Amino acid sequence: MTVRKKWPLVLLGAAAALLLPWMAVLALTLPGSARVDNWPLAWIGLDVLMAAGCATTALLGLRGDPRARLTASATAATAVLDAWFDITTAGTGAPLAEALLCAAAEACLAAACVHLAVGRHPDRRRTR
């Protein structure tokens, strides 16, 4: 691999290293709770993004377009992110139980998307 092709990977590695102390700063300084404006819009936005990813992946996949693997990857990440925030922002009792049920459904969606993104498919073209 040439130096020209390695620089984005080096940059990603540096970003990962720089995020570690930043996470420590956040863990020590962020409040335990906060009032949030536009709370419904934030949650609806995640679901809109997930629905758009599902629809785009389905349309591209039905057309046999290999870009469906990219949208499936993004949709899997969105589903995991949604599940994370569902669980970590839920209250105790019934809200947490509901969040865990939603997270289980989102985990199934993420697993299906990962399968579409990296699984072996008969229409996959072989390169030699």
Side-chain angles (χ1 to χ4, degrees):
M1 187 180 287
T2 66
V3 172
R4 188 175 183 174
K5 290 183 180 180
K6 286 183 183 178
W7 77 263
L9 300 174
V10 171
L11 185 62
L12 285 172
L18 290 171
L19 281 167
L20 293 173
W22 177 244
M23 286 184 271
V25 168
L26 291 177
L28 296 171
T29 61
L30 284 176
S33 64
R35 183 189 178 308
V36 180
D37 293 328
N38 303 311
W39 186 252
L41 182 60
W43 284 107
I44 292 166
L46 270 176
D47 290 335
V48 167
L49 187 59
M50 205 164 20
C54 288
T56 304
T57 301
L59 289 172
L60 290 173
L62 289 169
R63 290 181 182 168
D65 191 322
R67 292 176 295 178
R69 293 177 182 277
L70 299 173
T71 58
S73 296
T75 304
T78 303
V80 169
L81 178 70
D82 195 323
W84 171 260
F85 281 107
D86 282 343
I87 294 169
T88 59
T89 61
T92 57
L96 181 57
E98 181 182 337
L100 290 170
L101 284 172
C102 289
E106 289 159 345
C108 291
L109 172 62
C113 287
V114 168
H115 174 73
L116 289 170
V118 300
R120 290 186 55 152
H121 301 284
D123 63 339
R124 191 175 199 176
R125 292 182 175 71
R126 297 176 193 242
T127 58
R128 297 193 186 214

